[in-house]
Amino acid sequence: IKFENTETGVKGVIPYSIKKRELKITARNQTFTYNGQIQGPGDMVYEEKKEIEELFDIGGDGLADTHSISSITLDGQGNEAETHEKVLIPSNAVIVNIDGDVVTTNYEIEYIPGDLIISPIPVTLTANSGTTVTYDGTEKTVSGYTCSVEGLTFDGVTAGVSATKAGTYEVTFSGVKVNETKDSTGHYMVSKTENGTLTINRKPLTITADSASAECDGTILIKNSYKCSELAAGDTIKSITITGKQDGPGSSDNVPSAAKIVNVDGEDVTDCYDITYVNGKLIVSEHSFDQEVADTKYLKSEAGCIHAAVYYESCKCGEKGTETFESGEPLGHDYKAVEGTAVAPTCEKPGKE
């Protein structure tokens, strides 16, 4: 810097220097999905402001207010599904001022590399689902899975479930961690699993209470028996309630309910059945007044001189009918003369003649 003191007339030059501005340019990490080919920028020159802002971080003292990067080179490639550390190398930045003049030499530039990340191809594993089956007392199993990439498998990964009783069961995975488990090549990684299902429907079963009929004989008609359709092998009906009785002529339902079914091990498997209960019928015939029982409870009229005793016919159940019959012999007349008169003898049983 030149100077002059007007009072003393002294003139001279003061030396000075401008320190370069420190600038750090860091390549941002870039992520690709594996495709079997080389990926990443190969000596790419970027000139678009938006691209430069997206791909690089500016640090250190930063750019002067009126300066910008007009172009920069980035190099770094890979093809394996892995993190390629510090292979994205920036270089050859060109810095210009507002007038477009190159001012790169005013900067002390440090280039910092970034990582090239090639991610495995994400795949979905779907557990197999069993075709819907019906309970039969035997164990049902669903196992295996499919991959969104046909034919691709993963070592140590399994899916399956086994069940015997009726219900819906989830087919789940083991040996897999989402976003960690890779195939043997490392090119594919499990990003999602979908469980399957095993559905065992309840077995249809019909239980029918037996029917019965009887003549009217004074006893209460009860039928504590039933029939059922085929049970699963090894299953038996341990208990059941049959409700019904018919006392006297007529009919009523014989009603089955509350069956308890157990398997060969004594486990309650009632819920494995879709039970339909069918009523039976209890029928007692109408009174048949065909019994001639000479008992006082059926007496209509006592025996007379010329008539035997008259009784009502009855049913076997003891009910009295309306038709009658005679039983026994008439008593016969008991005549007695009146002494000292000419009056004819009369019967001593008035009204019994």
mmCIF file of all heavy atoms in Angstrom, residues 46-91:
data_model
loop_
_atom_site.group_PDB
_atom_site.id
_atom_site.type_symbol
_atom_site.label_atom_id
_atom_site.label_comp_id
_atom_site.label_asym_id
_atom_site.label_seq_id
_atom_site.Cartn_x
_atom_site.Cartn_y
_atom_site.Cartn_z
ATOM 1 N N TYR A 46 -20.705 -31.302 -13.000
ATOM 2 C CA TYR A 46 -22.014 -30.711 -12.711
ATOM 3 C C TYR A 46 -21.920 -29.189 -12.820
ATOM 4 O O TYR A 46 -21.007 -28.556 -12.257
ATOM 5 C CB TYR A 46 -22.481 -31.104 -11.311
ATOM 6 C CG TYR A 46 -22.680 -32.601 -11.156
ATOM 7 C CD1 TYR A 46 -21.658 -33.394 -10.630
ATOM 8 C CD2 TYR A 46 -23.868 -33.218 -11.555
ATOM 9 C CE1 TYR A 46 -21.826 -34.765 -10.509
ATOM 10 C CE2 TYR A 46 -24.035 -34.585 -11.431
ATOM 11 C CZ TYR A 46 -23.014 -35.354 -10.902
ATOM 12 O OH TYR A 46 -23.190 -36.707 -10.784
ATOM 13 N N GLU A 47 -22.865 -28.620 -13.530
ATOM 14 C CA GLU A 47 -22.867 -27.171 -13.753
ATOM 15 C C GLU A 47 -24.173 -26.520 -13.311
ATOM 16 O O GLU A 47 -24.231 -25.297 -13.171
ATOM 17 C CB GLU A 47 -22.610 -26.866 -15.233
ATOM 18 C CG GLU A 47 -21.233 -27.350 -15.698
ATOM 19 C CD GLU A 47 -21.006 -27.074 -17.170
ATOM 20 O OE1 GLU A 47 -22.014 -26.895 -17.900
ATOM 21 O OE2 GLU A 47 -19.835 -27.033 -17.588
ATOM 22 N N GLU A 48 -25.206 -27.329 -13.107
ATOM 23 C CA GLU A 48 -26.487 -26.776 -12.687
ATOM 24 C C GLU A 48 -26.452 -26.468 -11.191
ATOM 25 O O GLU A 48 -26.021 -27.303 -10.382
ATOM 26 C CB GLU A 48 -27.622 -27.758 -12.980
ATOM 27 C CG GLU A 48 -27.868 -28.003 -14.464
ATOM 28 C CD GLU A 48 -28.418 -26.767 -15.153
ATOM 29 O OE1 GLU A 48 -29.100 -25.962 -14.474
ATOM 30 O OE2 GLU A 48 -28.168 -26.607 -16.364
ATOM 31 N N LYS A 49 -26.901 -25.288 -10.818
ATOM 32 C CA LYS A 49 -26.872 -24.853 -9.434
ATOM 33 C C LYS A 49 -27.644 -25.817 -8.533
ATOM 34 O O LYS A 49 -27.184 -26.187 -7.430
ATOM 35 C CB LYS A 49 -27.466 -23.454 -9.329
ATOM 36 C CG LYS A 49 -27.500 -22.927 -7.895
ATOM 37 C CD LYS A 49 -28.128 -21.543 -7.834
ATOM 38 C CE LYS A 49 -28.199 -21.041 -6.398
ATOM 39 N NZ LYS A 49 -28.826 -19.706 -6.301
ATOM 40 N N LYS A 50 -28.824 -26.268 -9.008
ATOM 41 C CA LYS A 50 -29.658 -27.155 -8.193
ATOM 42 C C LYS A 50 -28.952 -28.476 -7.924
ATOM 43 O O LYS A 50 -28.964 -28.992 -6.796
ATOM 44 C CB LYS A 50 -30.989 -27.395 -8.878
ATOM 45 C CG LYS A 50 -31.952 -28.246 -8.079
ATOM 46 C CD LYS A 50 -33.287 -28.402 -8.797
ATOM 47 C CE LYS A 50 -34.255 -29.260 -7.975
ATOM 48 N NZ LYS A 50 -35.552 -29.457 -8.674
ATOM 49 N N GLU A 51 -28.324 -29.032 -8.960
ATOM 50 C CA GLU A 51 -27.608 -30.297 -8.792
ATOM 51 C C GLU A 51 -26.452 -30.150 -7.815
ATOM 52 O O GLU A 51 -26.215 -31.008 -6.960
ATOM 53 C CB GLU A 51 -27.091 -30.800 -10.139
ATOM 54 C CG GLU A 51 -28.141 -31.425 -11.034
ATOM 55 C CD GLU A 51 -27.531 -32.041 -12.279
ATOM 56 O OE1 GLU A 51 -26.650 -31.403 -12.885
ATOM 57 O OE2 GLU A 51 -27.925 -33.167 -12.627
ATOM 58 N N ILE A 52 -25.721 -29.044 -7.966
ATOM 59 C CA ILE A 52 -24.569 -28.815 -7.102
ATOM 60 C C ILE A 52 -25.018 -28.698 -5.647
ATOM 61 O O ILE A 52 -24.396 -29.253 -4.733
ATOM 62 C CB ILE A 52 -23.811 -27.548 -7.560
ATOM 63 C CG1 ILE A 52 -23.175 -27.815 -8.942
ATOM 64 C CG2 ILE A 52 -22.740 -27.166 -6.542
ATOM 65 C CD1 ILE A 52 -22.552 -26.587 -9.577
ATOM 66 N N GLU A 53 -26.127 -27.992 -5.428
ATOM 67 C CA GLU A 53 -26.639 -27.834 -4.065
ATOM 68 C C GLU A 53 -27.104 -29.160 -3.474
ATOM 69 O O GLU A 53 -27.014 -29.381 -2.268
ATOM 70 C CB GLU A 53 -27.785 -26.825 -4.058
ATOM 71 C CG GLU A 53 -27.323 -25.389 -4.309
ATOM 72 C CD GLU A 53 -28.499 -24.416 -4.366
ATOM 73 O OE1 GLU A 53 -29.658 -24.897 -4.475
ATOM 74 O OE2 GLU A 53 -28.273 -23.189 -4.303
ATOM 75 N N GLU A 54 -27.625 -30.052 -4.341
ATOM 76 C CA GLU A 54 -28.123 -31.353 -3.869
ATOM 77 C C GLU A 54 -26.997 -32.338 -3.589
ATOM 78 O O GLU A 54 -27.129 -33.212 -2.728
ATOM 79 C CB GLU A 54 -29.081 -31.953 -4.902
ATOM 80 C CG GLU A 54 -30.413 -31.224 -5.013
ATOM 81 C CD GLU A 54 -31.299 -31.808 -6.106
ATOM 82 O OE1 GLU A 54 -30.770 -32.609 -6.930
ATOM 83 O OE2 GLU A 54 -32.485 -31.461 -6.155
ATOM 84 N N LEU A 55 -25.880 -32.214 -4.308
ATOM 85 C CA LEU A 55 -24.837 -33.238 -4.244
ATOM 86 C C LEU A 55 -23.671 -32.882 -3.326
ATOM 87 O O LEU A 55 -22.884 -33.771 -2.961
ATOM 88 C CB LEU A 55 -24.299 -33.518 -5.650
ATOM 89 C CG LEU A 55 -25.301 -34.140 -6.632
ATOM 90 C CD1 LEU A 55 -24.682 -34.236 -8.022
ATOM 91 C CD2 LEU A 55 -25.737 -35.511 -6.157
ATOM 92 N N PHE A 56 -23.556 -31.580 -2.940
ATOM 93 C CA PHE A 56 -22.373 -31.169 -2.180
ATOM 94 C C PHE A 56 -22.786 -30.303 -0.996
ATOM 95 O O PHE A 56 -23.754 -29.540 -1.045
ATOM 96 C CB PHE A 56 -21.396 -30.385 -3.068
ATOM 97 C CG PHE A 56 -20.938 -31.149 -4.279
ATOM 98 C CD1 PHE A 56 -21.621 -31.030 -5.492
ATOM 99 C CD2 PHE A 56 -19.846 -32.004 -4.211
ATOM 100 C CE1 PHE A 56 -21.202 -31.736 -6.609
ATOM 101 C CE2 PHE A 56 -19.436 -32.706 -5.333
ATOM 102 C CZ PHE A 56 -20.112 -32.584 -6.537
ATOM 103 N N ASP A 57 -22.015 -30.465 0.086
ATOM 104 C CA ASP A 57 -22.141 -29.576 1.236
ATOM 105 C C ASP A 57 -20.949 -28.625 1.235
ATOM 106 O O ASP A 57 -19.799 -29.046 0.979
ATOM 107 C CB ASP A 57 -22.152 -30.372 2.542
ATOM 108 C CG ASP A 57 -23.465 -31.108 2.738
ATOM 109 O OD1 ASP A 57 -24.522 -30.552 2.405
ATOM 110 O OD2 ASP A 57 -23.425 -32.265 3.228
ATOM 111 N N ILE A 58 -21.201 -27.350 1.518
ATOM 112 C CA ILE A 58 -20.151 -26.344 1.545
ATOM 113 C C ILE A 58 -19.855 -25.991 2.999
ATOM 114 O O ILE A 58 -20.760 -25.651 3.775
ATOM 115 C CB ILE A 58 -20.573 -25.079 0.775
ATOM 116 C CG1 ILE A 58 -20.966 -25.452 -0.665
ATOM 117 C CG2 ILE A 58 -19.460 -24.040 0.804
ATOM 118 C CD1 ILE A 58 -19.839 -26.107 -1.451
ATOM 119 N N GLY A 59 -18.591 -26.087 3.392
ATOM 120 C CA GLY A 59 -18.202 -25.784 4.767
ATOM 121 C C GLY A 59 -16.978 -24.901 4.832
ATOM 122 O O GLY A 59 -16.623 -24.215 3.870
ATOM 123 N N GLY A 60 -16.308 -24.926 5.965
ATOM 124 C CA GLY A 60 -15.166 -24.038 6.173
ATOM 125 C C GLY A 60 -15.635 -22.603 6.303
ATOM 126 O O GLY A 60 -16.630 -22.318 6.968
ATOM 127 N N ASP A 61 -14.934 -21.683 5.619
ATOM 128 C CA ASP A 61 -15.364 -20.282 5.630
ATOM 129 C C ASP A 61 -16.532 -20.058 4.687
ATOM 130 O O ASP A 61 -17.179 -18.997 4.718
ATOM 131 C CB ASP A 61 -14.199 -19.362 5.220
ATOM 132 C CG ASP A 61 -13.058 -19.400 6.235
ATOM 133 O OD1 ASP A 61 -13.350 -19.635 7.437
ATOM 134 O OD2 ASP A 61 -11.893 -19.221 5.832
ATOM 135 N N GLY A 62 -16.811 -21.041 3.839
ATOM 136 C CA GLY A 62 -17.884 -20.900 2.888
ATOM 137 C C GLY A 62 -17.504 -19.993 1.736
ATOM 138 O O GLY A 62 -16.391 -19.447 1.661
ATOM 139 N N LEU A 63 -18.418 -19.818 0.807
ATOM 140 C CA LEU A 63 -18.201 -18.947 -0.340
ATOM 141 C C LEU A 63 -18.470 -17.501 0.058
ATOM 142 O O LEU A 63 -19.314 -17.226 0.919
ATOM 143 C CB LEU A 63 -19.132 -19.338 -1.488
ATOM 144 C CG LEU A 63 -18.865 -20.698 -2.147
ATOM 145 C CD1 LEU A 63 -20.062 -21.115 -2.992
ATOM 146 C CD2 LEU A 63 -17.605 -20.634 -3.006
ATOM 147 N N ALA A 64 -17.748 -16.622 -0.576
ATOM 148 C CA ALA A 64 -18.058 -15.198 -0.392
ATOM 149 C C ALA A 64 -19.468 -14.936 -0.896
ATOM 150 O O ALA A 64 -19.995 -15.663 -1.753
ATOM 151 C CB ALA A 64 -17.043 -14.343 -1.144
ATOM 152 N N ASP A 65 -20.074 -13.854 -0.390
ATOM 153 C CA ASP A 65 -21.487 -13.607 -0.673
ATOM 154 C C ASP A 65 -21.810 -13.555 -2.153
ATOM 155 O O ASP A 65 -22.876 -13.995 -2.581
ATOM 156 C CB ASP A 65 -21.932 -12.300 -0.013
ATOM 157 C CG ASP A 65 -21.992 -12.437 1.500
ATOM 158 O OD1 ASP A 65 -22.011 -13.586 1.983
ATOM 159 O OD2 ASP A 65 -22.030 -11.391 2.191
ATOM 160 N N THR A 66 -20.934 -13.025 -2.961
ATOM 161 C CA THR A 66 -21.224 -12.844 -4.401
ATOM 162 C C THR A 66 -20.598 -13.933 -5.257
ATOM 163 O O THR A 66 -20.623 -13.851 -6.478
ATOM 164 C CB THR A 66 -20.727 -11.470 -4.872
ATOM 165 O OG1 THR A 66 -19.316 -11.380 -4.635
ATOM 166 C CG2 THR A 66 -21.476 -10.356 -4.131
ATOM 167 N N HIS A 67 -20.054 -14.964 -4.586
ATOM 168 C CA HIS A 67 -19.400 -16.037 -5.334
ATOM 169 C C HIS A 67 -20.274 -17.289 -5.381
ATOM 170 O O HIS A 67 -21.114 -17.512 -4.518
ATOM 171 C CB HIS A 67 -18.055 -16.381 -4.692
ATOM 172 C CG HIS A 67 -17.045 -15.283 -4.787
ATOM 173 N ND1 HIS A 67 -15.776 -15.374 -4.255
ATOM 174 C CD2 HIS A 67 -17.111 -14.053 -5.392
ATOM 175 C CE1 HIS A 67 -15.127 -14.260 -4.498
ATOM 176 N NE2 HIS A 67 -15.915 -13.437 -5.182
ATOM 177 N N SER A 68 -20.031 -18.101 -6.382
ATOM 178 C CA SER A 68 -20.753 -19.360 -6.533
ATOM 179 C C SER A 68 -19.887 -20.351 -7.280
ATOM 180 O O SER A 68 -18.915 -19.969 -7.939
ATOM 181 C CB SER A 68 -22.071 -19.155 -7.270
ATOM 182 O OG SER A 68 -21.829 -18.677 -8.587
ATOM 183 N N ILE A 69 -20.261 -21.634 -7.153
ATOM 184 C CA ILE A 69 -19.550 -22.671 -7.899
ATOM 185 C C ILE A 69 -20.239 -22.829 -9.245
ATOM 186 O O ILE A 69 -21.437 -23.135 -9.320
ATOM 187 C CB ILE A 69 -19.564 -23.999 -7.125
ATOM 188 C CG1 ILE A 69 -18.820 -23.846 -5.797
ATOM 189 C CG2 ILE A 69 -18.924 -25.115 -7.955
ATOM 190 C CD1 ILE A 69 -18.899 -25.087 -4.905
ATOM 191 N N SER A 70 -19.485 -22.635 -10.287
ATOM 192 C CA SER A 70 -20.075 -22.740 -11.630
ATOM 193 C C SER A 70 -19.971 -24.155 -12.174
ATOM 194 O O SER A 70 -20.785 -24.558 -13.012
ATOM 195 C CB SER A 70 -19.406 -21.757 -12.588
ATOM 196 O OG SER A 70 -18.024 -22.095 -12.755
ATOM 197 N N SER A 71 -18.978 -24.914 -11.700
ATOM 198 C CA SER A 71 -18.861 -26.310 -12.128
ATOM 199 C C SER A 71 -17.997 -27.060 -11.127
ATOM 200 O O SER A 71 -17.162 -26.469 -10.434
ATOM 201 C CB SER A 71 -18.268 -26.426 -13.535
ATOM 202 O OG SER A 71 -16.901 -26.059 -13.531
ATOM 203 N N ILE A 72 -18.218 -28.379 -11.057
ATOM 204 C CA ILE A 72 -17.438 -29.233 -10.169
ATOM 205 C C ILE A 72 -17.512 -30.655 -10.678
ATOM 206 O O ILE A 72 -18.524 -31.071 -11.273
ATOM 207 C CB ILE A 72 -17.937 -29.135 -8.703
ATOM 208 C CG1 ILE A 72 -16.996 -29.900 -7.763
ATOM 209 C CG2 ILE A 72 -19.360 -29.627 -8.596
ATOM 210 C CD1 ILE A 72 -17.296 -29.666 -6.282
ATOM 211 N N THR A 73 -16.461 -31.397 -10.460
ATOM 212 C CA THR A 73 -16.386 -32.776 -10.932
ATOM 213 C C THR A 73 -16.589 -33.730 -9.747
ATOM 214 O O THR A 73 -16.083 -33.474 -8.649
ATOM 215 C CB THR A 73 -15.036 -33.059 -11.599
ATOM 216 O OG1 THR A 73 -14.870 -32.175 -12.712
ATOM 217 C CG2 THR A 73 -14.952 -34.512 -12.087
ATOM 218 N N LEU A 74 -17.297 -34.841 -10.021
ATOM 219 C CA LEU A 74 -17.497 -35.874 -8.995
ATOM 220 C C LEU A 74 -17.261 -37.235 -9.635
ATOM 221 O O LEU A 74 -17.834 -37.558 -10.678
ATOM 222 C CB LEU A 74 -18.909 -35.813 -8.419
ATOM 223 C CG LEU A 74 -19.207 -36.794 -7.267
ATOM 224 C CD1 LEU A 74 -18.317 -36.506 -6.065
ATOM 225 C CD2 LEU A 74 -20.672 -36.721 -6.868
ATOM 226 N N ASP A 75 -16.431 -38.027 -8.969
ATOM 227 C CA ASP A 75 -16.103 -39.349 -9.509
ATOM 228 C C ASP A 75 -16.242 -40.387 -8.401
ATOM 229 O O ASP A 75 -15.883 -40.140 -7.246
ATOM 230 C CB ASP A 75 -14.677 -39.352 -10.053
ATOM 231 C CG ASP A 75 -14.326 -40.674 -10.725
ATOM 232 O OD1 ASP A 75 -15.234 -41.280 -11.331
ATOM 233 O OD2 ASP A 75 -13.162 -41.099 -10.631
ATOM 234 N N GLY A 76 -16.779 -41.575 -8.747
ATOM 235 C CA GLY A 76 -16.896 -42.675 -7.794
ATOM 236 C C GLY A 76 -17.975 -43.645 -8.217
ATOM 237 O O GLY A 76 -19.124 -43.251 -8.415
ATOM 238 N N GLN A 77 -17.604 -44.910 -8.360
ATOM 239 C CA GLN A 77 -18.566 -45.905 -8.825
ATOM 240 C C GLN A 77 -18.399 -47.216 -8.072
ATOM 241 O O GLN A 77 -17.393 -47.460 -7.403
ATOM 242 C CB GLN A 77 -18.404 -46.143 -10.334
ATOM 243 C CG GLN A 77 -18.758 -44.940 -11.186
ATOM 244 C CD GLN A 77 -18.613 -45.227 -12.662
ATOM 245 O OE1 GLN A 77 -17.661 -45.877 -13.104
ATOM 246 N NE2 GLN A 77 -19.571 -44.746 -13.444
ATOM 247 N N GLY A 78 -19.418 -48.064 -8.186
ATOM 248 C CA GLY A 78 -19.382 -49.393 -7.592
ATOM 249 C C GLY A 78 -20.503 -50.239 -8.177
ATOM 250 O O GLY A 78 -21.422 -49.719 -8.816
ATOM 251 N N ASN A 79 -20.459 -51.558 -7.928
ATOM 252 C CA ASN A 79 -21.533 -52.419 -8.453
ATOM 253 C C ASN A 79 -22.036 -53.438 -7.442
ATOM 254 O O ASN A 79 -23.067 -54.052 -7.642
ATOM 255 C CB ASN A 79 -21.091 -53.137 -9.734
ATOM 256 C CG ASN A 79 -19.955 -54.118 -9.488
ATOM 257 O OD1 ASN A 79 -19.327 -54.096 -8.438
ATOM 258 N ND2 ASN A 79 -19.679 -54.950 -10.472
ATOM 259 N N GLU A 80 -21.320 -53.630 -6.333
ATOM 260 C CA GLU A 80 -21.771 -54.584 -5.330
ATOM 261 C C GLU A 80 -22.716 -53.908 -4.340
ATOM 262 O O GLU A 80 -22.613 -52.701 -4.077
ATOM 263 C CB GLU A 80 -20.579 -55.177 -4.580
ATOM 264 C CG GLU A 80 -19.757 -56.158 -5.402
ATOM 265 C CD GLU A 80 -20.568 -57.351 -5.865
ATOM 266 O OE1 GLU A 80 -21.346 -57.901 -5.061
ATOM 267 O OE2 GLU A 80 -20.431 -57.741 -7.048
ATOM 268 N N ALA A 81 -23.654 -54.704 -3.802
ATOM 269 C CA ALA A 81 -24.619 -54.177 -2.836
ATOM 270 C C ALA A 81 -23.942 -54.048 -1.478
ATOM 271 O O ALA A 81 -23.944 -54.977 -0.662
ATOM 272 C CB ALA A 81 -25.835 -55.096 -2.749
ATOM 273 N N GLU A 82 -23.354 -52.893 -1.255
ATOM 274 C CA GLU A 82 -22.651 -52.621 -0.014
ATOM 275 C C GLU A 82 -22.392 -51.117 0.081
ATOM 276 O O GLU A 82 -22.690 -50.363 -0.840
ATOM 277 C CB GLU A 82 -21.326 -53.383 0.047
ATOM 278 C CG GLU A 82 -20.367 -52.998 -1.074
ATOM 279 C CD GLU A 82 -19.109 -53.858 -1.083
ATOM 280 O OE1 GLU A 82 -19.158 -54.974 -0.539
ATOM 281 O OE2 GLU A 82 -18.087 -53.398 -1.633
ATOM 282 N N THR A 83 -21.822 -50.691 1.188
ATOM 283 C CA THR A 83 -21.430 -49.297 1.343
ATOM 284 C C THR A 83 -19.982 -49.134 0.893
ATOM 285 O O THR A 83 -19.060 -49.697 1.502
ATOM 286 C CB THR A 83 -21.591 -48.838 2.798
ATOM 287 O OG1 THR A 83 -22.966 -48.929 3.170
ATOM 288 C CG2 THR A 83 -21.129 -47.394 2.964
ATOM 289 N N HIS A 84 -19.795 -48.401 -0.164
ATOM 290 C CA HIS A 84 -18.457 -48.124 -0.691
ATOM 291 C C HIS A 84 -17.998 -46.808 -0.053
ATOM 292 O O HIS A 84 -18.392 -45.713 -0.486
ATOM 293 C CB HIS A 84 -18.480 -48.015 -2.217
ATOM 294 C CG HIS A 84 -19.025 -49.245 -2.899
ATOM 295 N ND1 HIS A 84 -18.223 -50.270 -3.341
ATOM 296 C CD2 HIS A 84 -20.297 -49.614 -3.187
ATOM 297 C CE1 HIS A 84 -18.972 -51.218 -3.890
ATOM 298 N NE2 HIS A 84 -20.243 -50.830 -3.816
ATOM 299 N N GLU A 85 -17.205 -46.921 0.987
ATOM 300 C CA GLU A 85 -16.857 -45.750 1.774
ATOM 301 C C GLU A 85 -15.858 -44.834 1.055
ATOM 302 O O GLU A 85 -14.867 -45.299 0.481
ATOM 303 C CB GLU A 85 -16.277 -46.180 3.126
ATOM 304 C CG GLU A 85 -17.279 -46.919 4.001
ATOM 305 C CD GLU A 85 -16.712 -47.263 5.367
ATOM 306 O OE1 GLU A 85 -15.496 -47.024 5.575
ATOM 307 O OE2 GLU A 85 -17.476 -47.763 6.212
ATOM 308 N N LYS A 86 -16.187 -43.545 1.098
ATOM 309 C CA LYS A 86 -15.298 -42.475 0.627
ATOM 310 C C LYS A 86 -14.828 -42.672 -0.806
ATOM 311 O O LYS A 86 -13.656 -42.400 -1.148
ATOM 312 C CB LYS A 86 -14.109 -42.331 1.565
ATOM 313 C CG LYS A 86 -14.504 -42.043 3.011
ATOM 314 C CD LYS A 86 -13.291 -41.798 3.876
ATOM 315 C CE LYS A 86 -13.687 -41.591 5.342
ATOM 316 N NZ LYS A 86 -14.680 -40.538 5.543
ATOM 317 N N VAL A 87 -15.719 -43.166 -1.662
ATOM 318 C CA VAL A 87 -15.347 -43.328 -3.074
ATOM 319 C C VAL A 87 -15.872 -42.186 -3.937
ATOM 320 O O VAL A 87 -15.463 -42.043 -5.098
ATOM 321 C CB VAL A 87 -15.861 -44.674 -3.630
ATOM 322 C CG1 VAL A 87 -15.276 -45.828 -2.859
ATOM 323 C CG2 VAL A 87 -17.371 -44.723 -3.642
ATOM 324 N N LEU A 88 -16.803 -41.379 -3.398
ATOM 325 C CA LEU A 88 -17.327 -40.242 -4.158
ATOM 326 C C LEU A 88 -16.403 -39.049 -3.926
ATOM 327 O O LEU A 88 -16.455 -38.391 -2.876
ATOM 328 C CB LEU A 88 -18.762 -39.923 -3.720
ATOM 329 C CG LEU A 88 -19.806 -41.011 -3.991
ATOM 330 C CD1 LEU A 88 -21.169 -40.594 -3.447
ATOM 331 C CD2 LEU A 88 -19.911 -41.289 -5.481
ATOM 332 N N ILE A 89 -15.557 -38.792 -4.888
ATOM 333 C CA ILE A 89 -14.489 -37.809 -4.707
ATOM 334 C C ILE A 89 -14.772 -36.558 -5.541
ATOM 335 O O ILE A 89 -14.807 -36.616 -6.780
ATOM 336 C CB ILE A 89 -13.126 -38.406 -5.104
ATOM 337 C CG1 ILE A 89 -12.856 -39.656 -4.239
ATOM 338 C CG2 ILE A 89 -12.007 -37.380 -4.971
ATOM 339 C CD1 ILE A 89 -11.628 -40.415 -4.644
ATOM 340 N N PRO A 90 -14.963 -35.415 -4.883
ATOM 341 C CA PRO A 90 -15.159 -34.164 -5.626
ATOM 342 C C PRO A 90 -13.803 -33.552 -6.026
ATOM 343 O O PRO A 90 -12.783 -33.770 -5.355
ATOM 344 C CB PRO A 90 -15.892 -33.281 -4.610
ATOM 345 C CG PRO A 90 -15.446 -33.787 -3.280
ATOM 346 C CD PRO A 90 -15.130 -35.251 -3.442
ATOM 347 N N SER A 91 -13.825 -32.802 -7.097
ATOM 348 C CA SER A 91 -12.577 -32.155 -7.553
ATOM 349 C C SER A 91 -12.916 -31.068 -8.566
ATOM 350 O O SER A 91 -14.046 -30.960 -9.044
ATOM 351 C CB SER A 91 -11.623 -33.180 -8.174
ATOM 352 O OG SER A 91 -12.211 -33.747 -9.340
#
